[in-house]
Amino acid sequence: MDGSTHMPLSPQDQDRLTQIFFPRSEIKKEEVMSAGCRFVYYTTADTATKILRSRQIWLRNTAVMNDYSEVQYGFQCLNDAYKAEPGENFNTALNACFQGLADEVRDLFNGWLPIIFDDTYLTCVSQHLPEENEHGRLSMWRAYGCGTGIALVINGAVMFGNTQVLEVFSSPVLYERPETVAEQLNQVAKNITNDLGFLRDLGREHLKSAVFNMFLFGILCTKHPGFHEEREWRVIASPQIFPTPHCTFAIEVIQGTPQRVLKLDLKNHTEQGLVGLAIPDLIDRIIIGPCQFPAIIRQAFLDLLQETGVPDAGRKIVVSDIPLRQA
């Protein structure tokens, strides 16, 4: 499955498919857009410096990230729902579109599961709210700042742009319990039944891809409700499933562990309709977290932004006024 076996969908058909198979994600997208369409990447000053200098963002294997257990959580929620009545309803709806499609999709997805677990790469951002503009989010400083925290606030329109160019995808994290995942699978079954004619006209291969993607993003982007404060979105690449020429592999040492990372160049692809990824367009502001030398760090990031061509760089850097004691 490489995305090249059938003609691309029109934007209208893709939007309609999203409404059928990803209704909760569409709600999250509308929430982000109504709040100013911005995301934030909380990290250390060291990592933020590397991003601006290299003009790249790194995606890390799910096996070495803090959130690996949540990938297992998402799989378990989906698997439990699929093996119960909601799964039966879902498969009945699929087979009403094309006979035998339910088994075909199940076998396809099960065949890719080892790759999904072992060769999928993520980076995580959080929805940024207007009230966090001047100080950031305390819980995120505590979790990711390590005493020299930086929040890179990005213009989020690129997250909803032409992802087919990159074959790198953005998706909101849904904070669900197993029973609500089951309810959602039932709802998708009803959506399929209600749009039977459209899905048949679309063709077997497009429908199979849509269901595969629903399963894929379902297990990668479902977390326990206890993490809901993070308001997380994930940027996802799975190069064996969706080959991309815009990411390169490299071995890097992160917190003492040598590992394979996937590097995505932060640049526009204007001729292919993808803009907003280059740093001057991408960076909305930088928030310097509670730290010992905020003025020194501010000057350093001012120089970095100017080097990367960010206009009016001085007005895009603020120092958080949260009185968090440093260790």
Side-chain angles (χ1 to χ4, degrees):
M1 179 176 180
D2 61 8
S4 62
T5 57
H6 41 271
M7 293 296 292
L9 293 172
S10 69
Q12 294 79 13
D13 286 345
Q14 185 59 64
D15 287 346
R16 193 166 173 181
L17 267 183
T18 301
Q19 292 285 351
I20 294 170
F21 290 99
F22 299 91
R24 293 288 298 275
S25 296
E26 281 295 284
I27 293 171
K28 293 294 183 182
K29 177 180 175 181
E30 291 171 5
E31 288 178 1
V32 169
M33 298 184 75
S34 65
C37 202
R38 291 181 300 168
F39 296 91
V40 56
Y41 181 63
Y42 283 91
T43 188
T44 63
D46 178 58
T47 297
T49 298
K50 291 175 180 175
I51 290 171
L52 295 176
R53 280 183 170 165
S54 67
R55 306 186 191 194
Q56 292 178 323
I57 191 76
W58 296 0
L59 287 74
R60 299 178 63 196
N61 192 292
T62 56
V64 296
M65 297 182 70
N66 293 335
D67 292 334
Y68 180 72
S69 62
E70 283 97 37
V71 175
Q72 295 284 3
Y73 176 82
F75 172 76
Q76 195 61 54
C77 286
L78 177 61
N79 195 43
D80 289 348
Y82 186 83
K83 290 182 175 180
E85 182 180 354
E88 295 176 7
N89 296 337
F90 179 79
N91 287 335
T92 298
L94 281 185
N95 287 331
C97 294
F98 297 100
Q99 187 59 40
L101 182 59
D103 287 348
E104 189 176 339
V105 173
R106 181 201 62 212
D107 293 343
L108 174 68
F109 189 74
N110 285 342
W112 280 108
L113 264 178
I115 299 300
I116 293 170
F117 281 117
D118 296 337
D119 200 43
T120 298
Y121 298 81
L122 307 174
T123 195
C124 303
V125 295
S126 179
Q127 180 187 353
H128 184 69
L129 301 180
E131 57 265 31
E132 297 171 335
N133 270 344
E134 301 304 319
H135 50 75
R137 195 178 314 157
L138 177 59
S139 61
M140 299 300 273
W141 294 132
R142 285 173 168 161
Y144 297 103
C146 301
T148 55
I150 296 291
L152 300 176
V153 182
I154 65 174
N155 295 306
V158 70
M159 299 276 282
F160 310 123
N162 187 0
T163 57
Q164 299 299 324
V165 173
L166 300 177
E167 296 291 355
V168 175
F169 305 93
S170 64
S171 177
V173 168
L174 301 179
Y175 301 97
E176 307 287 359
R177 293 193 177 278
E179 57 268 25
T180 58
V181 172
E183 292 169 5
Q184 290 168 37
L185 193 58
N186 258 331
Q187 182 59 56
V188 172
K190 294 176 183 177
N191 293 347
I192 293 171
T193 300
N194 292 339
D195 256 320
L196 202 61
F198 165 72
L199 294 172
R200 285 173 174 168
D201 289 344
L202 215 56
R204 189 184 193 99
E205 290 303 311
H206 280 304
L207 181 53
K208 182 166 66 175
S209 293
V211 177
F212 180 93
N213 290 338
M214 184 193 78
F215 288 164
L216 173 66
F217 292 107
I219 68 172
L220 293 176
C221 298
T222 300
K223 292 179 69 169
H224 190 279
F227 295 101
H228 75 278
E229 185 207 35
E230 294 175 351
R231 300 193 294 274
E232 183 181 338
W233 284 61
R234 290 180 169 173
V235 179
I236 301 167
S238 192
Q240 292 194 54
I241 302 175
F242 304 109
T244 171
H246 302 292
C247 294
T248 55
F249 281 111
I251 302 299
E252 299 289 348
V253 179
I254 301 175
Q255 296 179 347
T257 302
Q259 58 195 265
R260 203 182 192 202
V261 300
L262 198 60
K263 298 183 178 183
L264 172 64
D265 290 333
L266 298 177
K267 65 179 184 179
N268 294 334
H269 300 271
T270 308
E271 69 285 354
Q272 296 171 282
L274 179 64
V275 296
L277 191 57
I279 285 178
D281 305 317
L282 187 66
I283 297 296
D284 177 83
R285 65 173 45 213
I286 290 178
I287 307 173
I288 298 170
C291 60
Q292 187 175 4
F293 304 111
I296 298 297
I297 295 176
R298 184 188 186 282
Q299 182 60 55
F301 277 94
L302 176 59
D303 292 347
L304 287 168
L305 289 186
Q306 290 173 339
E307 288 172 9
T308 54
V310 173
D312 205 11
R315 298 185 63 178
K316 294 188 176 181
I317 304 175
V318 297
V319 176
S320 176
D321 59 2
I322 293 179
L324 178 64
R325 183 184 299 275
Q326 298 302 306

